[in-house]
Amino acid sequence: MLASALLILLGGFFFGQLVKRLGAPPLVGMIAAGVLLGPQGLDLLGSAVLGSAEALRTVAVMVILMKAGLGLDRQKLKEQGTVAARLGFLPAACEAVVVALAARYLFGFDLLTGLLLGVILSAESPAVIVPGMLRLKSLGWGVQKGVPDAIMTGSALSDVLVLLLFSLLLGFAGGEGAHGLTLGALTLTPLQALPLRVLVEILLGLAVGWLAARLTVHLLVKQNWTESAVQDVIVTASLALALVLGATAWPVYSGYLAVMAMGFFLVLYSAPFARRVRGEFDGLWTVAEIVLFVLLGATVDLSVLGSVLLPGLALLAVGLLVGRMLGWLLSTWGSNWTWGERLFLLPGNMAKATVQAAIGALPLAAGVAGGEVILALSALAILVTAPLGAWLTQLTAPLLLQKGEVDPTKVAVATQALILAAVDTSSLADEVLRKAAALARQSDGKVTVLHVAEDTSPAALEALSARVTQNLLDVRHRFVTAAGPTAEAILREAEALNATEVVVGKRGHRPAWQVPIGSVSQALLERSTLPLIVVEGAAEAPRRVGVFRARRGRP
């Protein structure tokens, strides 16, 4: 068990990084690592790990859906609410119908079996789509119109429809029939009851997520039952996992939708708490992502692909390019989306993985004619669309989407803190270095220490370098020198490094906002567009720190 876990984590990480360096999404390498380590390859993973693959995938999907809920933008969803709702139903429905019709000619399926195949292949994978959309949000692509939010919400709603249709069609195809619904004197057939069941699952999923969020905020924020962010995320993740497991035991609501709703309502009821647990869930996803996609690759059956490869690829292409494209056009009809944003739905919404892995083998187990072909096509859909969709999403976003300002209250900004600390050879340098070190420790950032050298002797530079090492011993840092006027050199270096903030020192006993005209600090305050932290020396007065954010050349 431990050896298998070690192989999954290290193999998934290094294969993912290798593929990332080649320009493709890391998950492609993780899936490849799973194929290599699993029964289709070297068969190095223990049966206990493979047997628990479904449970581990459930945990990983819960983590990414909670991250999605914590990152949803209420205002953007309000603006694009109808588009998100239509994306939850129309693309999957159109693709299922087109696949069913094409399967009659490519595989000789009857209409019922074709629809069963179409429903399986039309399911979207939040585990692949959501990480890509969160990355785009962190970079600002499509955020002005809420394109990533609409896609994430649509993918969660889509799975509600797909799973209900699948259970209905499987009952008919397996010869067991399907259960209708009786409401007093009114009896509905299974097909007539389907819209009502979809609506009930969605509404109950939202309600359960709302109740979980209220309970979490009451216990952890108002009652202070926890003492650290780690305890916060343990309780929050446990409640979210309980929602998913509860939906399995009592399938009257959508567990995945409930988890996403829980994250969304946490932001509404306690934004500081949501920000705190969002950072912890980012850490959980680092591990969960590797486990999810390595096990996905390990459990895909490659042996069944040979006989269906070429017609299967044709079927996937027809379903995506005809069925889904029609659904995407209908979903965005009458909206303010540009044609580029509509075209982005092709790569952004095409990935298939978790649902196909979960239900692809059920028709074969139920004795449905053609079940082995359905299983093979499910595996093919995973291997083709998951890596291709993830790769094309990142490749086409800069070409098709508009870039807007990132909202750090909704999603982690995809930048690392890089602090520029400007020092001289006086005793004030230690104060500046200690402040820069404290900021770097808080944000796990890097520090570049700059000394503008004029007539500094080699011995003084060596002594200053030793002080830098002493103060920044546990922080990633480097020491550089520059020439020229001091203020200009600091601004030039900050721009070249793309620094996130600048720390400088000021001698004197007056407050930092009363620095003398002509000083380095004053020049930086007037000209810097970056956050500027001015540290006052401890020798002349009690140490104070002034923080300024200069904009458009004004302090």
Side-chain angles (χ1 to χ4, degrees), residues 230-541:
V230 174
Q231 291 179 338
D232 287 337
V233 78
I234 289 174
V235 175
T236 305
S238 298
L239 288 175
L241 186 58
L243 298 185
V244 178
L245 298 179
T248 303
W250 301 285
V252 294
Y253 69 92
S254 169
Y256 288 167
L257 185 60
V259 171
M260 188 179 289
M262 178 182 175
F264 176 76
F265 286 116
L266 282 177
V267 177
L268 294 184
Y269 293 130
S270 180
F273 176 82
R275 175 183 55 80
R276 189 162 64 250
V277 297
R278 184 190 300 128
E280 299 299 325
F281 270 97
D282 289 340
L284 285 179
W285 176 242
T286 302
V287 178
E289 180 183 30
I290 297 175
V291 174
L292 175 68
F293 291 112
V294 171
L295 289 178
L296 187 61
T299 53
V300 168
D301 189 355
L302 302 179
S303 62
V304 298
L305 294 180
S307 60
V308 301
L309 182 59
L310 293 180
L313 290 174
L315 185 69
L316 290 175
V318 170
L320 289 172
L321 298 178
V322 178
R324 276 206 169 258
M325 188 65 74
L326 176 61
W328 294 328
L329 290 176
L330 293 175
S331 298
T332 56
W333 189 268
S335 69
N336 61 349
W337 286 33
T338 66
W339 282 106
E341 291 163 343
R342 296 178 185 184
L343 186 60
F344 175 74
L345 287 171
L346 176 59
N349 209 224
M350 69 183 291
K352 310 171 189 302
T354 46
V355 177
Q356 286 75 18
I359 66 176
L362 296 183
L364 179 61
V368 176
E372 68 283 353
V373 176
I374 294 176
L375 174 60
L377 291 173
S378 299
L380 183 64
I382 294 171
L383 292 174
V384 173
T385 64
L388 186 62
W391 176 61
L392 289 177
T393 294
Q394 307 305 320
L395 180 67
T396 60
L399 303 176
L400 301 175
L401 300 180
Q402 299 176 353
K403 192 168 187 178
E405 185 176 355
V406 181
D407 185 355
T409 67
K410 298 292 185 268
V411 67
V413 181
T415 57
Q416 184 181 49
L418 201 162
I419 302 158
L420 178 64
V423 298
D424 55 17
T425 56
S426 71
S427 59
L428 183 57
D430 292 315
E431 297 285 340
V432 174
L433 292 172
R434 282 194 285 269
K435 183 60 182 177
L439 293 172
R441 293 186 189 105
Q442 293 171 5
S443 59
D444 192 27
K446 300 179 181 179
V447 178
T448 294
V449 181
L450 172 66
H451 173 64
V452 182
E454 297 176 355
D455 299 325
T456 309
S457 65
L461 278 178
E462 185 177 351
L464 181 58
S465 178
R467 292 162 64 187
V468 169
T469 301
Q470 180 181 3
N471 285 283
L472 301 175
L473 188 61
D474 62 336
V475 174
R476 289 171 292 177
H477 69 278
R478 66 190 188 101
F479 179 54
V480 298
T481 60
T486 303
E488 285 76 0
I490 294 173
L491 293 174
R492 184 173 61 249
E493 190 70 18
E495 182 178 359
L497 294 172
N498 197 23
T500 54
E501 53 196 321
V502 179
V503 183
V504 296
K506 182 190 83 70
R507 300 190 187 93
H509 63 277
R510 283 176 291 179
W513 55 84
Q514 296 179 7
V515 287
I517 298 298
S519 71
V520 173
S521 301
Q522 183 66 37
L524 292 174
L525 286 172
E526 292 178 349
R527 298 172 55 186
S528 175
T529 58
L530 294 173
L532 179 66
I533 297 176
V534 180
V535 180
E536 192 171 64
E540 293 86 353

Side-chain angles (χ1 to χ4, degrees), residues 14-369:
F14 284 110
F15 268 76
Q17 290 302 309
L18 177 62
V19 169
K20 182 179 180 180
R21 290 169 184 261
L22 296 176
L27 71 86
V28 177
M30 296 173 192
I31 294 175
V35 173
L36 179 64
L37 295 173
Q40 311 295 315
L42 301 177
D43 196 16
L44 298 177
L45 300 181
S47 58
V49 171
L50 294 176
S52 60
E54 182 62 30
L56 294 173
R57 278 200 298 264
T58 299
V59 174
V61 173
M62 176 276 295
V63 172
I64 194 58
L65 287 175
M66 176 58 74
K67 276 173 55 67
L70 291 169
L72 287 178
D73 191 320
R74 180 184 181 184
Q75 183 61 34
K76 301 302 180 186
L77 281 179
K78 185 177 180 181
E79 296 172 359
Q80 303 292 343
T82 58
V83 174
R86 283 181 280 173
L87 282 174
F89 302 102
L90 291 176
C94 291
E95 183 180 11
V97 172
V98 169
V99 167
L101 296 176
R104 298 189 66 180
Y105 297 96
L106 292 173
F107 299 101
F109 284 177
D110 57 40
L111 183 60
L112 181 59
T113 307
L115 283 173
L116 184 62
L117 172 64
V119 167
I120 294 174
L121 295 186
S122 66
E124 302 160 17
S125 175
V128 179
I129 293 172
V130 171
M133 294 304 107
L134 290 177
R135 173 172 166 74
L136 294 186
K137 287 189 67 173
S138 70
L139 297 173
W141 294 113
V143 296
Q144 289 181 334
K145 294 182 182 177
V147 174
D149 292 297
I151 291 176
M152 287 190 294
T153 306
S155 67
L157 294 174
S158 176
D159 285 346
V160 177
L161 173 66
V162 164
L163 293 175
L164 283 173
L165 278 173
F166 173 76
S167 61
L168 175 68
L169 293 172
L170 184 61
F172 284 125
E176 299 177 0
H179 299 291
L181 183 65
T182 301
L183 300 173
L186 180 64
T187 300
L188 301 177
T189 66
L191 192 58
Q192 292 172 335
L194 181 64
L196 179 60
R197 286 179 172 169
V198 171
L199 182 61
V200 168
E201 283 211 15
I202 291 175
L203 293 179
L204 287 181
L206 294 174
V208 170
W210 173 77
L211 286 173
R214 291 297 299 263
L215 177 63
T216 302
V217 171
H218 178 74
L219 295 178
L220 306 189
V221 178
K222 296 181 179 179
Q223 299 294 327
N224 295 315
W225 281 31
T226 54
E227 299 176 355
S228 66
V230 174
Q231 291 179 338
D232 287 337
V233 78
I234 289 174
V235 175
T236 305
S238 298
L239 288 175
L241 186 58
L243 298 185
V244 178
L245 298 179
T248 303
W250 301 285
V252 294
Y253 69 92
S254 169
Y256 288 167
L257 185 60
V259 171
M260 188 179 289
M262 178 182 175
F264 176 76
F265 286 116
L266 282 177
V267 177
L268 294 184
Y269 293 130
S270 180
F273 176 82
R275 175 183 55 80
R276 189 162 64 250
V277 297
R278 184 190 300 128
E280 299 299 325
F281 270 97
D282 289 340
L284 285 179
W285 176 242
T286 302
V287 178
E289 180 183 30
I290 297 175
V291 174
L292 175 68
F293 291 112
V294 171
L295 289 178
L296 187 61
T299 53
V300 168
D301 189 355
L302 302 179
S303 62
V304 298
L305 294 180
S307 60
V308 301
L309 182 59
L310 293 180
L313 290 174
L315 185 69
L316 290 175
V318 170
L320 289 172
L321 298 178
V322 178
R324 276 206 169 258
M325 188 65 74
L326 176 61
W328 294 328
L329 290 176
L330 293 175
S331 298
T332 56
W333 189 268
S335 69
N336 61 349
W337 286 33
T338 66
W339 282 106
E341 291 163 343
R342 296 178 185 184
L343 186 60
F344 175 74
L345 287 171
L346 176 59
N349 209 224
M350 69 183 291
K352 310 171 189 302
T354 46
V355 177
Q356 286 75 18
I359 66 176
L362 296 183
L364 179 61
V368 176

